[in-house]
Every structure is written in structure tokens, then in C-alpha cells.
Amino acid sequence: MNTIKLTKMQGCGNDFVIIDYSEYEKTGMPMNELAKKVCDRHFGVGADGMIIPDCTQKSERQTDIGWYFYNSDGSVAQMCGNGMRCFARYVYDKGLVNKKEFSVMTGAGVIKPLLLDNGNVKVNMGIPILEDEEIPFKGERKLKALDREFEITPVSMGNPHCVIIGDDDPMEMALKYGPVIEKHEFFPEKTNTEFVKVLSRTEIDMRVYERGCGITLACGTGACASVVACVLNNLTEQNVKVNLLGGSVFVEWQGNPADTKKNIFLIGPADYTFTADYML
């Protein structure tokens, strides 16, 4: 049996298996099949996603590095904020990049993380996408799911999000309605769904049902999408603490309803869990 080296990392409980490309080549498996195998929480390592650094990006696309990112079900995700923070710390510590601020080619375009001196990672997540055809979103701002009708704010952070703001318990809502909304006809590529409760102008609670993963402890792109929705609905300021199931992150966005073309920043931890030799 083949044995490969891998690393497990997590950001606010959103966990990832990271495998060097040279180790991946030993497997002889398609990446999507490997992702399903190693991410399985009963028969594999267990993770929300798998990340493989791609060091060819610097010469081919003029970025410092790239990545391959797969959800636990083997589907490709264009972007993941918590995954990007873990990826940034990993590739810097491994010497795959030699500076604390660098560019990464992702399915959502070029993303720029910065390793901070306090151990957190700050990620420039780019400009939120609000145009329906680019999210993609095909529907109305009212969405019916099971026994409820919701006012929604569709946002893309390189991946589609459906943000629902209300006074209900976010976790109960995510468990009940998340699986239905993920596959709703309004979202042709499925969607991540965030349920948000506003605590103050500078703090919110959020729970997420992630596309291709289900309930996760944290979602960085979802945190950003939630703050965008809150700002556009005049419910919060532009710098917001987002409380997730696995911890808290901070989101900074200088956008507003009149000028949405502003970069949004995600700040939070990225921690090692373990390294291991894994037998396929």
C-alpha cells in the first residue's frame, strides 16, 4: 500500500487536509477521488476539504503560488477563506513562498493573504460579486423553502452564497433549511447558505450550511458574504466581528450601497492539528 505524508490544519474548526503535490503524485488517484477518501470522517482522516499547493502558478500565471481545493464530497470549490488562511501559513512555513504577503491563484481569481505577527492571517478576499448572472443567481429576493419564505441577499465571494438575516436561532435554521436551500433552483451551481443574527452594529452570529460539505464550524467566504449583506441592509458597520460555531473572525469592508466595488478582508487564526503518514 502507498503511504503519503499529509498535514491537518484548521481555522475556527473548519478543517483541511493539505498534501504536497509530490505526495499526491504517489497516489495515482484523481484529485476528487482522493479528496473524498481522505476527508471521510469514518474511513479517512476527516476534513471539510483537501488542499494541494500548485507551485507551477508563478511561472504560468504570474502569481506566487496556486492551489487545488476540493470539498469533502470531491467537488471543486472556487474559494475558501478559512482554507486560504491555513494554506498561507502552510506554504510559508514549508518555504514554498518566501514572503509573508503573496498572491495565490484560485478558482475565484487572485487572492492575497498576509501573515500577521500575532499569528493570525489577513486575507484580501477581493471584491464581492452582487450581479445575479455572475453569482450565479436566477430568481427573486424572496425564496420559499419548506414551510417558510425568506428575504435573501445573494452574494458571491468567488462562490455563491445565500444570506438570510433574522431573529431565529441560526443553528436551528441552518440544520432545517440549509439542505433545501443548497439545491434551490434559484442557484444553478448550488449555494452556501448563511443564517445571521445581528447582535449589534459591530457583531453578528452566523451559522452556515456549506455547499458540498453541510454544516461546518466556520466558513470564511460565508462570514464575508454575511457582512456584505448586513452592510447593504444597513444593519451593521463595515468592521464586524463574526461569531461562528468554531470561533470568531473579523471582517473589514469599506463598501456601501452606493459603492460596492471595494475589497473585503478576512482576519482570523490558522492552526496546525497534526502531520501524519497516511496509508492509502
Side-chain angles (χ1 to χ4, degrees):
M1 299 179 70
N2 286 342
T3 299
I4 61 171
K5 296 184 182 299
L6 55 78
T7 299
K8 179 82 176 287
M9 297 187 71
Q10 59 88 15
C12 292
N14 200 188
D15 56 348
F16 310 94
V17 171
I18 304 180
I19 302 171
D20 285 347
Y21 195 88
S22 60
E23 294 296 311
Y24 160 68
E25 289 183 309
K26 297 177 184 178
T27 69
M29 298 175 64
M31 286 187 185
N32 63 324
E33 292 299 322
L34 180 62
K36 288 191 287 186
K37 182 177 179 65
V38 299
C39 291
D40 190 288
R41 295 194 183 276
H42 299 287
F43 298 101
V45 175
D48 295 319
M50 180 188 76
I51 304 172
I52 298 176
D54 179 8
C55 294
T56 66
Q57 299 287 349
K58 184 172 183 178
S59 59
E60 292 183 1
R61 300 188 185 180
Q62 302 304 305
T63 55
D64 294 302
I65 198 167
W67 74 358
Y68 299 97
F69 187 97
Y70 287 83
N71 292 317
S72 59
D73 67 351
S75 61
V76 175
Q78 294 96 333
M79 180 50 195
C80 173
N82 294 314
M84 178 56 66
R85 296 201 312 275
C86 293
F87 174 82
R89 181 161 300 284
Y90 177 87
V91 297
Y92 178 79
D93 290 347
K94 291 275 288 187
L96 300 179
V97 296
N98 59 7
K99 49 190 175 181
K100 289 190 174 183
E101 185 173 15
F102 52 92
S103 58
V104 183
M105 180 59 70
T106 75
V110 178
I111 301 295
K112 295 181 179 180
L114 167 65
L115 278 71
L116 302 177
D117 292 338
N118 65 3
N120 284 341
V121 181
K122 182 176 184 177
V123 181
N124 183 341
M125 302 286 284
I127 297 172
I129 298 168
L130 301 173
E131 294 78 14
D132 288 1
E133 64 275 10
E134 295 184 37
I135 292 174
F137 173 76
K138 297 180 179 180
E140 306 296 330
R141 292 311 190 265
K142 289 187 177 181
L143 179 150
K144 291 182 178 179
L146 300 177
D147 58 341
R148 292 283 294 271
E149 183 175 76
F150 298 101
E151 294 278 353
I152 67 170
T153 303
V155 181
S156 173
M157 291 303 309
N159 53 355
H161 293 267
C162 175
V163 183
I164 297 171
I165 305 168
D167 294 325
D168 299 287
D169 180 273
M171 190 64 190
E172 292 180 2
M173 300 297 284
L175 287 167
K176 182 174 181 179
Y177 297 101
V180 178
I181 298 175
E182 177 196 15
K183 302 174 183 178
H184 197 281
E185 61 183 5
F186 284 1
F187 294 90
E189 295 182 5
K190 299 184 181 180
T191 187
N192 304 278
T193 309
E194 287 78 36
F195 295 89
V196 175
K197 186 173 184 177
V198 177
L199 303 180
S200 72
R201 296 286 299 180
T202 58
E203 185 173 5
I204 64 175
D205 285 344
M206 186 272 276
R207 299 294 181 266
V208 59
Y209 191 94
E210 286 199 51
R211 178 183 65 166
C213 294
I215 297 290
T216 58
L217 297 181
C219 177
T221 56
C224 293
S226 296
V227 171
V228 169
C230 288
V231 171
L232 294 180
N233 286 284
N234 194 29
L235 296 172
T236 67
E237 304 298 331
Q238 295 161 316
N239 292 353
V240 180
K241 180 182 181 182
V242 183
N243 301 316
L244 308 166
L245 192 59
S248 298
V249 294
F250 292 87
V251 175
E252 301 174 355
W253 187 49
Q254 297 308 307
N256 59 69
D259 183 10
T260 61
K261 300 301 182 180
K262 301 288 187 181
N263 287 336
I264 190 165
F265 295 86
L266 174 70
I267 304 165
D271 298 312
Y272 288 94
T273 306
F274 59 80
T275 59
D277 291 327
Y278 178 69
M279 295 181 64
L280 294 169

